[in-house]
Amino acid sequence: MAQEKVWEDYFHEIYAMEEIDETSIENDYEHLCELESSPLNINTLNPEDLYLIPGINRDQIDDIIKYRDRYGEIRTIEELALIESIDRPLRLFLSNFIVAEPRVKDKWYTRPTLDSIMRKGHGEILSYINIPLYDRAGDKNGYLGYKYKYNIKLTGKFSDNIRYGFCGAQDAGEPLFANKNKWGTDYYSFYVKVNNIGRLKTIVLGQYKIKFGMGLIQNNCFGYGKQIMLSSMNNYDATITGHSSRSDGEHFCGLANTFDIGKKGSINKCTLTSFWSYRKIDATLNKDGSISTISTTGYHRTPTEMEKKNNSSSLATGAHINYKRNGLYLGASMVYNWFDRPLNPNPSNNPNSYRTYYAKGYDFWNASINYGYISGKFTFSGETATGSCNSIATINSLEAKVHKDITVNAVQRFYSYKYNAINAKAFNDGGYTQNESGIYAGMIWNATKNITVNAYSDLSYFPWIKYYTNASSYSFDNNISLKYSKNKWNVQAKYKFKIRQRNNDEKTKIINRYSNKLRFTIQRTSDNISTSTIIDLSKLTYTGYKSQGYSITQNLSIQSNKKNIIYAFISYFNTDDTNSSVYLSERTIPGSYSPSNFYGEGLRFSAIIKQQLTSIVIANFKVGFTKYFNKNSISSGLRMIEHSYQTDIDLSIKCKF
């Protein structure tokens, strides 16, 4: 506990101004919790493993690998301070997901006994429960289960070669040992992952996520925000990660593997990745039994939601081959998806619907080639794809180190409005890898040893109808941040200005909507006390309308002794409506995720106590309180709370072995 490191501040810093929904942020948060429980060994990991961690770019990854190759095994994570491109906040962030352990000399299969596994393997068991001190409308009438939310997770590794994970999760309102949950909790996930055994680079059995190329035909891996996707685009290898989080959407179930098929001893690299998956999915059905939408929320609280549970099936399979010679690489991918019910997202066959060109039918295929060149100061990456939709999508990125302190990057993408791929997720502004053309230009300038400037502009055009627009539209996204880090201080200012076109209130024409967001953060971190003050401003305007808001947040962390840590959070927020909602950077406890966007006028307070009970058992207790000054009730429908405040208690127990 004396050396415990907090990564949530850096996580919130990355996502503070990203325009993505809370479910996606929660999925990313769960991924990092999983990685934290079973960190990577920096002395044995492959460069592509580091792409699983957000906020680290290719230059920083190259610097880490070069340092390791030059000086040998890294003995402590603090050695990263000797790498100029890794500042203190990033080093503290990375130290939660990587460890410095000596390379194991013997083979993984020479330690099969239970005694050796218990001595050399390690992991953790985490149990969590949320207790709301209030009743929702659905708790009284509508939900099938109790109002408590809980889960249990088991994660660990036997060595750097074998990892595993298991999770059983239950959302509030879901039945236990009842209805379709006859095996207990509502959702289970598991995986076993083996790495670097001879020519076998990776094999995963169970539930997993996988990414090919730049994501044009296959990507359900970590990485949803624009900046996160940008930092991972230059990873030319296929990425496979095990899935044992409480998130029930966007994963596969089956087998995935990567083999080294290149010439032994050659400096050239050739790998083959393949996967096979079959799983039950939730779907909203049309009257004829076809699938209108695939549900990824995982909620089964009401009879209607329970009817959707596992009412359809999906099969997915694919392969990716990649060849690298010096700095040049070339890859090819193909993916096939099949459903036991036909997809029919536009049952009325409306030719002017935003769903007109969504995937339709039983089965779909996509194929792509990815290509690129990586040198010391120049990187080019790209992917071009097509499929049964008879249309194309392409994305190309360029990154250049024009000065030792200045890196520029650019991204061009064209996703035809007729293009579709079931599990595509590539760099975009509109939320989908479809119906978008755009140009992104950005710059990272290390002005001094302590000052970094990051800026970008992104212009996007949407030729076809979108959900909020009944004609062609565009968006123009601009962001600039200034960061100062020295010793224990971290000061940052971020400003985001965006123009997005949408229908007017009467839906008679397309108008510009102007969004302005500003965040100012000052943080001081020491061995025993850490504080941060955050000010957020938000404003949205369009013809005849203005919505604005702000929040003032204070975080405090106190480590009173080697076995006890206390966190306190308080924020006052005041916004006109949801259009000017603010993102509150609140810490949570293992196993939970708190909503991040708030609107209206109110006060949010939370306190966390972390107590090390024994050498292997850590308890986390959190109380959270929200009070609204301009509401008599919170939320709506079955989630409505019939008063203006709510209090939650969260408790988790972590046992390490």
Side-chain angles (χ1 to χ4, degrees):
M1 286 284 285
Q3 299 176 349
E4 182 166 351
K5 301 159 287 286
V6 176
W7 52 267
E8 289 191 51
D9 289 340
Y10 200 85
F11 176 83
H12 288 302
E13 177 185 316
I14 293 171
Y15 282 91
M17 292 186 180
E18 294 282 7
E19 295 181 343
I20 51 180
D21 59 77
E22 290 183 0
T23 301
S24 296
I25 299 177
E26 182 177 3
N27 289 339
D28 287 1
Y29 178 84
E30 287 281 338
H31 171 87
L32 288 179
C33 288
E34 199 171 317
L35 190 59
E36 181 190 30
S37 65
S38 186
L40 304 166
N41 184 1
I42 196 170
N43 290 313
T44 59
L45 58 78
N46 298 314
E48 53 267 24
D49 293 330
L50 289 172
Y51 281 101
L52 296 173
I53 305 174
I56 181 170
N57 59 43
R58 185 188 67 84
D59 286 341
Q60 292 164 335
I61 291 174
D62 288 345
D63 288 345
I64 292 174
I65 300 302
K66 288 176 182 177
Y67 179 90
R68 185 185 69 180
D69 292 344
R70 180 175 181 179
Y71 297 106
E73 287 192 357
I74 296 175
R75 297 185 179 183
T76 171
I77 298 303
E78 290 302 314
E79 277 190 58
L80 296 181
L82 301 175
I83 301 176
E84 187 175 353
S85 62
I86 309 294
D87 60 17
R88 187 174 188 274
L90 179 58
R91 187 174 75 253
L92 292 176
F93 179 70
L94 293 176
S95 64
N96 294 275
F97 313 112
I98 55 179
V99 293
E101 296 176 346
R103 293 187 180 95
V104 178
K105 305 298 182 183
D106 51 351
K107 302 294 185 181
W108 66 278
Y109 50 78
T110 61
R111 293 178 279 122
T113 67
L114 179 62
D115 176 68
S116 63
I117 289 175
M118 295 302 292
R119 283 188 294 106
K120 296 186 178 181
H122 59 82
E124 68 177 39
I125 299 174
L126 173 68
S127 58
Y128 163 81
I129 185 170
N130 166 259
I131 305 172
L133 303 184
Y134 51 85
D135 290 323
R136 307 174 185 87
D139 297 327
K140 300 176 182 178
N141 184 20
Y143 288 160
L144 299 172
Y146 298 107
K147 63 181 182 180
Y148 310 107
K149 174 182 176 181
Y150 43 89
N151 58 70
I152 185 167
K153 292 183 66 174
L154 168 65
T155 55
K157 62 180 182 179
F158 295 145
S159 67
D160 290 330
N161 302 95
I162 306 176
R163 296 172 177 270
Y164 58 88
F166 169 83
C167 179
Q170 189 89 347
D171 282 307
E174 294 177 337
L176 180 68
F177 286 106
N179 213 297
K180 291 186 179 181
N181 297 340
K182 62 180 180 179
W183 298 106
T185 61
D186 180 72
Y187 170 70
Y188 293 101
S189 63
F190 75 95
Y191 76 89
V192 176
K193 183 177 181 181
V194 178
N195 292 320
N196 300 323
I197 307 299
R199 285 187 172 268
L200 177 65
K201 290 189 62 179
T202 300
I203 184 169
V204 178
L205 177 65
Q207 288 164 299
Y208 60 91
K209 296 185 176 185
I210 188 168
K211 176 187 175 185
F212 287 165
M214 300 177 78
L216 286 188
I217 68 171
Q218 175 57 51
N219 178 20
N220 53 10
C221 273
F222 173 86
Y224 295 87
K226 185 179 292 187
Q227 291 298 293
I228 304 303
M229 284 189 174
L230 186 70
S231 66
S232 65
M233 281 197 301
N234 294 324
N235 180 19
Y236 56 85
D237 276 333
T239 301
I240 306 173
T241 178
H243 176 78
S244 65
S245 74
R246 60 183 310 278
S247 171
D248 193 17
E250 298 187 329
H251 67 268
F252 288 145
C253 183
L255 179 69
N257 55 72
T258 297
F259 284 92
D260 180 0
I261 60 174
K263 184 178 179 180
K264 189 174 182 180
S266 173
I267 61 173
N268 302 326
K269 183 178 181 182
C270 189
T271 58
L272 175 64
T273 299
S274 62
F275 74 94
W276 180 90
S277 167
Y278 178 82
R279 60 168 297 211
K280 294 289 187 178
I281 60 173
D282 298 357
T284 301
L285 305 180
N286 298 311
K287 293 181 180 180
D288 62 359
S290 60
I291 296 176
S292 174
T293 58
I294 297 173
S295 175
T296 59
T297 64
Y299 289 135
H300 306 114
R301 303 162 298 184
T302 66
T304 301
E305 291 176 345
M306 187 59 76
E307 286 178 4
K308 297 179 183 179
K309 184 174 183 178
N310 298 335
N311 64 358
S312 304
S313 301
S314 71
L315 180 147
T317 186
H320 170 83
I321 187 169
N322 192 85
Y323 175 76
K324 181 177 182 293
R325 181 184 178 90
N326 298 323
L328 182 68
Y329 66 87
L330 181 67
S333 307
M334 189 162 186
V335 171
Y336 173 78
N337 290 273
W338 172 87
F339 298 89
D340 66 338
R341 301 174 185 266
L343 300 186
N344 189 10
N346 185 23
S348 64
N349 292 318
N350 179 5
N352 294 316
S353 167
Y354 69 95
R355 292 186 172 191
T356 299
Y357 295 103
Y358 281 16
K360 184 176 182 178
Y362 282 98
D363 56 347
F364 313 89
W365 65 268
N366 292 93
S368 73
I369 58 170
N370 64 289
Y371 39 84
Y373 178 77
I374 299 176
S375 68
K377 295 184 178 181
F378 173 85
T379 300
F380 170 73
S381 301
E383 184 176 13
T384 300
T386 186
S388 52
C389 57
N390 295 319
S391 190
I392 67 168
T394 184
I395 180 171
N396 299 277
S397 73
L398 177 66
E399 182 178 295
K401 204 171 186 67
V402 297
H403 183 271
K404 66 181 182 67
D405 297 320
I406 300 177
T407 301
V408 298
N409 46 58
V411 180
Q412 171 272 332
R413 72 266 190 197
F414 169 77
Y415 311 144
S416 169
Y417 62 89
K418 294 183 179 181
Y419 178 80
N420 56 66
I422 299 300
N423 293 301
K425 189 183 334 50
F427 183 90
N428 68 78
D429 185 80
Y432 299 95
T433 311
Q434 183 184 37
N435 185 31
E436 179 174 330
S437 299
I439 292 290
Y440 169 101
M443 176 194 71
I444 301 175
W445 176 30
N446 297 313
T448 70
K449 182 179 180 181
N450 307 113
I451 298 176
T452 301
V453 180
N454 193 331
Y456 72 79
S457 291
D458 187 28
L459 179 62
S460 306
Y461 174 66
F462 314 106
W464 186 249
I465 298 168
K466 293 179 65 67
Y467 181 65
Y468 289 107
T469 60
N470 52 20
S472 301
S473 61
Y474 78 90
S475 71
F476 188 37
D477 184 16
N478 303 272
N479 192 306
I480 184 169
S481 67
L482 176 66
K483 183 177 180 181
Y484 172 82
S485 300
K486 186 174 183 180
N487 298 328
K488 300 176 181 180
W489 291 93
N490 180 23
V491 181
Q492 186 173 33
K494 297 179 70 174
Y495 174 66
K496 183 183 184 73
F497 170 69
K498 186 167 188 175
I499 304 173
R500 181 181 289 278
Q501 292 189 317
R502 286 189 177 178
N503 294 330
N504 63 359
D505 293 340
E506 295 77 24
K507 298 182 180 180
T508 57
K509 65 178 181 178
I510 302 296
I511 61 173
N512 291 341
R513 294 161 62 100
Y514 303 92
S515 172
N516 293 268
K517 294 183 178 181
L518 175 66
R519 165 169 283 212
F520 179 78
T521 305
I522 180 168
Q523 182 180 30
R524 187 183 188 278
T525 304
S526 65
D527 294 335
N528 298 318
I529 299 177
S530 298
T531 65
S532 67
T533 303
I534 304 172
I535 299 175
D536 280 295
L537 302 175
S538 177
K539 183 179 180 180
L540 178 74
T541 60
Y542 58 88
T543 306
Y545 175 85
K546 180 174 70 174
S547 175
Q548 57 189 8
Y550 66 92
S551 67
I552 303 174
T553 302
Q554 182 66 49
N555 282 290
L556 174 66
S557 169
I558 302 175
Q559 183 165 334
S560 57
N561 54 55
K562 292 183 178 181
K563 296 184 177 182
N564 184 275
I565 301 177
I566 299 174
Y567 302 110
F569 168 95
I570 187 167
S571 179
Y572 171 77
F573 55 92
N574 190 341
T575 78
D576 292 337
D577 51 36
T578 57
N579 286 322
S580 54
S581 62
V582 288
Y583 182 98
L584 302 186
S585 303
E586 178 182 354
R587 291 176 179 173
T588 61
I589 66 174
S592 71
Y593 175 78
S594 298
S596 51
N597 286 300
F598 287 79
Y599 66 94
E601 182 185 9
L603 188 71
R604 173 65 182 172
F605 168 79
S606 66
I608 299 175
I609 298 176
K610 287 191 172 185
Q611 179 70 44
Q612 185 164 346
L613 303 179
T614 70
S615 60
I616 63 171
V617 179
I618 300 174
N620 297 268
F621 174 84
K622 177 180 178 180
V623 58
F625 174 78
T626 305
K627 168 65 178 179
Y628 289 92
F629 303 130
N630 64 335
K631 300 179 182 180
N632 295 321
S633 62
I634 302 174
S635 195
S636 60
L638 295 178
R639 300 180 65 181
M640 178 183 289
I641 303 170
E642 295 178 346
H643 38 73
S644 61
Y645 58 89
Q646 67 180 86
T647 304
D648 290 87
I649 292 176
D650 296 288
L651 177 65
S652 70
I653 304 292
K654 181 187 292 187
C655 179
K656 297 186 177 183
F657 57 88

